[in-house]
Amino acid sequence: MKELIVIIDFGGQYSRLIARRVRECGVYCEIKPHTITAYELEKANPYGIIFSGGPNSIYDISSPKFDLKILELGLPILGICYGAQLIANNFGGEVVKHKVKEYGSTSVELVCESDLFNGLPQKFDCWMSHMDTILSVPKNFKIIASSLNCNVAAMQNTEKRIYALQFHPEVSHTEHGTKIFENFLVDVCKCQKKWQLSSFINEKIKEIKDIVGEKKVISALSGGVDSSVAALLVSKALPEQSVCIFVDHGLLRKGEGDEVERVFKRQFSMNLIRVNAKERFFNKLKGVTNPEKKRGIIGEEFIRVFEEESMKIGGVNFLCQGTIYSDVIESGAEQAAVIKSHHNVGGLPVNINFKGILEPLRGLFKDEVIKVGLELGLPSCLLSRQPFPGPGLAIRVIGEITEERLNILREADEIFRKEISYANLNEGINQYFAVLTGIKSVGIKGDFRTYEETIALRAVTTKDFMTAKFARIPYPVLEKISTRIVNEVDGVNRVVFDITSKPPATIEWE
Ligand code: XMP
């Protein structure tokens, strides 16, 4: 039986962090919405359940509730903060609304033996963030830890195997937090910590084989991390039945298309079709300067090429995509069926008739995807790639796209990326690239007046790409980049550095 822990999400900001901690302990877990029923849970057959925290008071009318029958399933439960208060309230304990929110680090003291705290010191620091407080424990529950402001910092009912923590073991400010999870998973839920990425790979390979049978799969490969790892996994499972389609629209960075082809075709002997569709993209983009029009044309043409190629291959039943767990959570599609007839992540075709969609990475976080990639042998240069927009360099060449203008940008962009890497700054900057601004200005090279292009350097630090700050690149590094670009790239006589945050600017210029 597969070891599974279900995290019931009550809207807590740390739910994903709980999932991370559980997986770090070697146990597979999934986050489910609080509307999950006891029946659905029973079918999923988990080893234990974790109730997450949440921003509400349990007394708010709109506060998230859960199916009370879950408490009767006899499964071990760990409630955290809001989850702990729900447990206390439902078993008849007293939960009160406090006027002041307790927020921050505080010392907690163990007052009674508990499997949850095996191997922990008598006192340690924990992170509190709550408004409601458990004032008295329900019948048959015992207080197991207290803090200065919180008599019931933790409680348990060992017979029912139900535990509740007022503090947050998942945040790094709580000392021994991972150990608390490990104790719950191993000592209470009896998990054997068997989940590892290598076992994940073997399981997925078997699953892909079972689903696809004798049929054919095509994988859409962009060269980005997620689609590369997903395609490689499918190809490992079914080397003779899978084909990767890599649409080269001629708008990639310098050397990128060749690198993708080399890695997947030569290194992994994958069945890869690189569709050199540059001409048709360029024809469609001729004379187009409006950014939204460029995007629309590229998206549409991408779909057409993809459709044509899959028709040529014929008899294709499955499409593989690199959807990952954050896409699933963010799109609110947690409950979505494994096989869907339409999907549009990353501009993929919506109107081709596939029997099913394969999303082998659907359950993984980004860093886990990278670890799977490493385990499968993908080179780190591919795995450490920064995000690259689907429309490629078309939205970094302001104005009309021509081969000549693209080449200017490619050369400047390569210098920028290399210099950032030489200066060991690449790990600290989340996205950086050059932009051909379309502005010509007067300069002087040697004894001659020039009237040439301006390159802008864009570099940002960001967590989620929704907001961003411009990266503080040291002046000597900027100076070197600028000098190299104006000396080495024909047609450029000026380099500027974009010092705008997002908002109000976006990361890309178009
Ligand atoms: P913006 O420019 O909106 O970019 O601040 C945020 C992130 O999204 C990427 N981006 C795109 N990715 N197709 C994509 O696949 C697009 O049309 C597109 N536009 C922006 C951008 O590179 C950044 O990482």
PDB file of all heavy atoms in Angstrom, residues 295 387-391 395-396 431 465 502 506-508 510, ligand 1:
ATOM      1  N   ARG A 295       2.349  38.267 -29.908  1.00  0.00           N
ATOM      2  CA  ARG A 295       2.000  37.143 -29.037  1.00  0.00           C
ATOM      3  C   ARG A 295       0.938  36.247 -29.661  1.00  0.00           C
ATOM      4  O   ARG A 295       1.055  35.035 -29.689  1.00  0.00           O
ATOM      5  CB  ARG A 295       1.457  37.670 -27.715  1.00  0.00           C
ATOM      6  CG  ARG A 295       2.481  37.894 -26.678  1.00  0.00           C
ATOM      7  CD  ARG A 295       1.815  37.862 -25.299  1.00  0.00           C
ATOM      8  NE  ARG A 295       2.828  37.872 -24.286  1.00  0.00           N
ATOM      9  CZ  ARG A 295       3.523  38.939 -23.947  1.00  0.00           C
ATOM     10  NH1 ARG A 295       3.295  40.088 -24.532  1.00  0.00           N
ATOM     11  NH2 ARG A 295       4.461  38.860 -23.030  1.00  0.00           N
ATOM     12  N   PRO A 387      13.334  31.239 -16.481  1.00  0.00           N
ATOM     13  CA  PRO A 387      12.160  31.166 -17.344  1.00  0.00           C
ATOM     14  C   PRO A 387      12.376  31.910 -18.654  1.00  0.00           C
ATOM     15  O   PRO A 387      13.074  32.925 -18.681  1.00  0.00           O
ATOM     16  CB  PRO A 387      11.060  31.845 -16.530  1.00  0.00           C
ATOM     17  CG  PRO A 387      11.699  32.425 -15.342  1.00  0.00           C
ATOM     18  CD  PRO A 387      13.065  31.898 -15.211  1.00  0.00           C
ATOM     19  N   PHE A 388      11.831  31.363 -19.714  1.00  0.00           N
ATOM     20  CA  PHE A 388      11.953  31.993 -21.023  1.00  0.00           C
ATOM     21  C   PHE A 388      10.549  32.037 -21.629  1.00  0.00           C
ATOM     22  O   PHE A 388       9.872  31.018 -21.693  1.00  0.00           O
ATOM     23  CB  PHE A 388      12.908  31.172 -21.892  1.00  0.00           C
ATOM     24  CG  PHE A 388      13.221  31.800 -23.219  1.00  0.00           C
ATOM     25  CD1 PHE A 388      13.861  33.022 -23.274  1.00  0.00           C
ATOM     26  CD2 PHE A 388      12.863  31.178 -24.400  1.00  0.00           C
ATOM     27  CE1 PHE A 388      14.142  33.619 -24.501  1.00  0.00           C
ATOM     28  CE2 PHE A 388      13.147  31.760 -25.628  1.00  0.00           C
ATOM     29  CZ  PHE A 388      13.796  32.977 -25.671  1.00  0.00           C
ATOM     30  N   PRO A 389      10.079  33.208 -22.042  1.00  0.00           N
ATOM     31  CA  PRO A 389       8.690  33.292 -22.491  1.00  0.00           C
ATOM     32  C   PRO A 389       8.447  32.522 -23.781  1.00  0.00           C
ATOM     33  O   PRO A 389       9.342  32.439 -24.636  1.00  0.00           O
ATOM     34  CB  PRO A 389       8.492  34.796 -22.713  1.00  0.00           C
ATOM     35  CG  PRO A 389       9.856  35.343 -22.928  1.00  0.00           C
ATOM     36  CD  PRO A 389      10.790  34.487 -22.131  1.00  0.00           C
ATOM     37  N   GLY A 390       7.228  31.993 -23.895  1.00  0.00           N
ATOM     38  CA  GLY A 390       6.846  31.259 -25.107  1.00  0.00           C
ATOM     39  C   GLY A 390       7.125  32.037 -26.387  1.00  0.00           C
ATOM     40  O   GLY A 390       7.693  31.488 -27.332  1.00  0.00           O
ATOM     41  N   PRO A 391       6.779  33.327 -26.461  1.00  0.00           N
ATOM     42  CA  PRO A 391       7.031  34.077 -27.704  1.00  0.00           C
ATOM     43  C   PRO A 391       8.515  34.375 -27.926  1.00  0.00           C
ATOM     44  O   PRO A 391       8.896  35.004 -28.929  1.00  0.00           O
ATOM     45  CB  PRO A 391       6.274  35.398 -27.493  1.00  0.00           C
ATOM     46  CG  PRO A 391       5.367  35.164 -26.339  1.00  0.00           C
ATOM     47  CD  PRO A 391       6.000  34.118 -25.494  1.00  0.00           C
ATOM     48  N   ILE A 395       9.427  39.209 -28.124  1.00  0.00           N
ATOM     49  CA  ILE A 395       8.950  40.281 -27.241  1.00  0.00           C
ATOM     50  C   ILE A 395      10.119  41.006 -26.552  1.00  0.00           C
ATOM     51  O   ILE A 395       9.921  41.790 -25.639  1.00  0.00           O
ATOM     52  CB  ILE A 395       7.919  39.758 -26.209  1.00  0.00           C
ATOM     53  CG1 ILE A 395       8.471  38.594 -25.395  1.00  0.00           C
ATOM     54  CG2 ILE A 395       6.625  39.359 -26.901  1.00  0.00           C
ATOM     55  CD1 ILE A 395       7.610  38.240 -24.188  1.00  0.00           C
ATOM     56  N   ARG A 396      11.325  40.692 -27.013  1.00  0.00           N
ATOM     57  CA  ARG A 396      12.495  41.446 -26.531  1.00  0.00           C
ATOM     58  C   ARG A 396      13.117  42.271 -27.652  1.00  0.00           C
ATOM     59  O   ARG A 396      14.088  42.989 -27.424  1.00  0.00           O
ATOM     60  CB  ARG A 396      13.524  40.484 -25.929  1.00  0.00           C
ATOM     61  CG  ARG A 396      12.969  39.812 -24.679  1.00  0.00           C
ATOM     62  CD  ARG A 396      13.911  38.826 -24.056  1.00  0.00           C
ATOM     63  NE  ARG A 396      13.276  38.174 -22.916  1.00  0.00           N
ATOM     64  CZ  ARG A 396      13.759  37.127 -22.273  1.00  0.00           C
ATOM     65  NH1 ARG A 396      14.923  36.608 -22.659  1.00  0.00           N
ATOM     66  NH2 ARG A 396      13.113  36.603 -21.257  1.00  0.00           N
ATOM     67  N   GLN A 431      16.013  36.357 -13.162  1.00  0.00           N
ATOM     68  CA  GLN A 431      15.849  36.420 -14.614  1.00  0.00           C
ATOM     69  C   GLN A 431      16.651  37.610 -15.138  1.00  0.00           C
ATOM     70  O   GLN A 431      16.593  38.692 -14.559  1.00  0.00           O
ATOM     71  CB  GLN A 431      14.365  36.578 -14.968  1.00  0.00           C
ATOM     72  CG  GLN A 431      14.066  36.223 -16.413  1.00  0.00           C
ATOM     73  CD  GLN A 431      12.581  36.164 -16.744  1.00  0.00           C
ATOM     74  OE1 GLN A 431      11.739  36.474 -15.904  1.00  0.00           O
ATOM     75  NE2 GLN A 431      12.251  35.783 -17.958  1.00  0.00           N
ATOM     76  N   PHE A 465       7.683  36.038  -9.660  1.00  0.00           N
ATOM     77  CA  PHE A 465       7.592  36.717 -10.962  1.00  0.00           C
ATOM     78  C   PHE A 465       6.339  37.602 -11.082  1.00  0.00           C
ATOM     79  O   PHE A 465       6.079  38.165 -12.124  1.00  0.00           O
ATOM     80  CB  PHE A 465       7.675  35.710 -12.134  1.00  0.00           C
ATOM     81  CG  PHE A 465       8.996  34.988 -12.159  1.00  0.00           C
ATOM     82  CD1 PHE A 465       9.191  33.823 -11.420  1.00  0.00           C
ATOM     83  CD2 PHE A 465      10.062  35.501 -12.872  1.00  0.00           C
ATOM     84  CE1 PHE A 465      10.409  33.184 -11.399  1.00  0.00           C
ATOM     85  CE2 PHE A 465      11.289  34.867 -12.862  1.00  0.00           C
ATOM     86  CZ  PHE A 465      11.465  33.709 -12.123  1.00  0.00           C
ATOM     87  N   LYS A 502       8.893  45.854 -10.658  1.00  0.00           N
ATOM     88  CA  LYS A 502       7.568  45.418 -11.120  1.00  0.00           C
ATOM     89  C   LYS A 502       6.657  45.327  -9.910  1.00  0.00           C
ATOM     90  O   LYS A 502       7.001  44.579  -8.995  1.00  0.00           O
ATOM     91  CB  LYS A 502       7.655  44.071 -11.808  1.00  0.00           C
ATOM     92  CG  LYS A 502       6.278  43.517 -12.179  1.00  0.00           C
ATOM     93  CD  LYS A 502       6.345  42.123 -12.762  1.00  0.00           C
ATOM     94  CE  LYS A 502       4.921  41.624 -13.030  1.00  0.00           C
ATOM     95  NZ  LYS A 502       4.897  40.309 -13.625  1.00  0.00           N
ATOM     96  N   THR A 506       6.696  45.818 -16.138  1.00  0.00           N
ATOM     97  CA  THR A 506       6.694  44.355 -16.130  1.00  0.00           C
ATOM     98  C   THR A 506       8.143  43.899 -16.304  1.00  0.00           C
ATOM     99  O   THR A 506       9.029  44.728 -16.547  1.00  0.00           O
ATOM    100  CB  THR A 506       5.821  43.791 -17.277  1.00  0.00           C
ATOM    101  OG1 THR A 506       6.245  44.402 -18.483  1.00  0.00           O
ATOM    102  CG2 THR A 506       4.359  44.064 -17.022  1.00  0.00           C
ATOM    103  N   ILE A 507       8.346  42.609 -16.186  1.00  0.00           N
ATOM    104  CA  ILE A 507       9.714  42.108 -16.332  1.00  0.00           C
ATOM    105  C   ILE A 507      10.133  42.210 -17.801  1.00  0.00           C
ATOM    106  O   ILE A 507      11.170  42.780 -18.123  1.00  0.00           O
ATOM    107  CB  ILE A 507       9.832  40.658 -15.804  1.00  0.00           C
ATOM    108  CG1 ILE A 507       9.533  40.637 -14.301  1.00  0.00           C
ATOM    109  CG2 ILE A 507      11.223  40.095 -16.102  1.00  0.00           C
ATOM    110  CD1 ILE A 507       9.463  39.258 -13.686  1.00  0.00           C
ATOM    111  N   GLU A 508       9.307  41.671 -18.675  1.00  0.00           N
ATOM    112  CA  GLU A 508       9.582  41.814 -20.108  1.00  0.00           C
ATOM    113  C   GLU A 508       9.224  43.237 -20.530  1.00  0.00           C
ATOM    114  O   GLU A 508       8.413  43.892 -19.886  1.00  0.00           O
ATOM    115  CB  GLU A 508       8.734  40.821 -20.919  1.00  0.00           C
ATOM    116  CG  GLU A 508       8.926  39.361 -20.556  1.00  0.00           C
ATOM    117  CD  GLU A 508      10.243  38.782 -21.020  1.00  0.00           C
ATOM    118  OE1 GLU A 508      10.944  39.434 -21.825  1.00  0.00           O
ATOM    119  OE2 GLU A 508      10.587  37.674 -20.567  1.00  0.00           O
ATOM    120  N   GLU A 510       7.842  43.887 -23.483  1.00  0.00           N
ATOM    121  CA  GLU A 510       6.596  43.854 -24.271  1.00  0.00           C
ATOM    122  C   GLU A 510       5.653  42.837 -23.682  1.00  0.00           C
ATOM    123  O   GLU A 510       6.084  41.823 -23.127  1.00  0.00           O
ATOM    124  CB  GLU A 510       6.884  43.484 -25.725  1.00  0.00           C
ATOM    125  CG  GLU A 510       7.439  44.631 -26.526  1.00  0.00           C
ATOM    126  CD  GLU A 510       7.355  44.370 -28.029  1.00  0.00           C
ATOM    127  OE1 GLU A 510       7.255  43.211 -28.437  1.00  0.00           O
ATOM    128  OE2 GLU A 510       7.387  45.356 -28.788  1.00  0.00           O
TER     129      GLU A 510
HETATM  130  P1  XMP B   1       6.059  40.009 -17.050  1.00  0.00           P
HETATM  131  O1  XMP B   1       6.687  40.604 -18.245  1.00  0.00           O
HETATM  132  O2  XMP B   1       4.566  39.848 -17.198  1.00  0.00           O
HETATM  133  O3  XMP B   1       6.648  38.529 -16.940  1.00  0.00           O
HETATM  134  O4  XMP B   1       6.413  40.712 -15.772  1.00  0.00           O
HETATM  135  C1  XMP B   1       6.494  37.662 -15.862  1.00  0.00           C
HETATM  136  C2  XMP B   1       7.130  36.341 -16.230  1.00  0.00           C
HETATM  137  O5  XMP B   1       6.398  35.726 -17.295  1.00  0.00           O
HETATM  138  C3  XMP B   1       7.231  35.553 -18.430  1.00  0.00           C
HETATM  139  N1  XMP B   1       6.414  35.883 -19.607  1.00  0.00           N
HETATM  140  C4  XMP B   1       5.878  34.982 -20.445  1.00  0.00           C
HETATM  141  N2  XMP B   1       5.960  33.636 -20.475  1.00  0.00           N
HETATM  142  N3  XMP B   1       4.614  33.601 -22.421  1.00  0.00           N
HETATM  143  C5  XMP B   1       5.332  32.941 -21.464  1.00  0.00           C
HETATM  144  O6  XMP B   1       5.423  31.712 -21.522  1.00  0.00           O
HETATM  145  C6  XMP B   1       4.479  34.944 -22.464  1.00  0.00           C
HETATM  146  O7  XMP B   1       3.829  35.491 -23.337  1.00  0.00           O
HETATM  147  C7  XMP B   1       5.165  35.665 -21.414  1.00  0.00           C
HETATM  148  N4  XMP B   1       5.254  36.982 -21.117  1.00  0.00           N
HETATM  149  C8  XMP B   1       6.029  37.087 -19.995  1.00  0.00           C
HETATM  150  C9  XMP B   1       8.394  36.480 -18.234  1.00  0.00           C
HETATM  151  O8  XMP B   1       9.563  36.051 -18.937  1.00  0.00           O
HETATM  152  C10 XMP B   1       8.555  36.467 -16.736  1.00  0.00           C
HETATM  153  O9  XMP B   1       9.287  35.343 -16.300  1.00  0.00           O
END
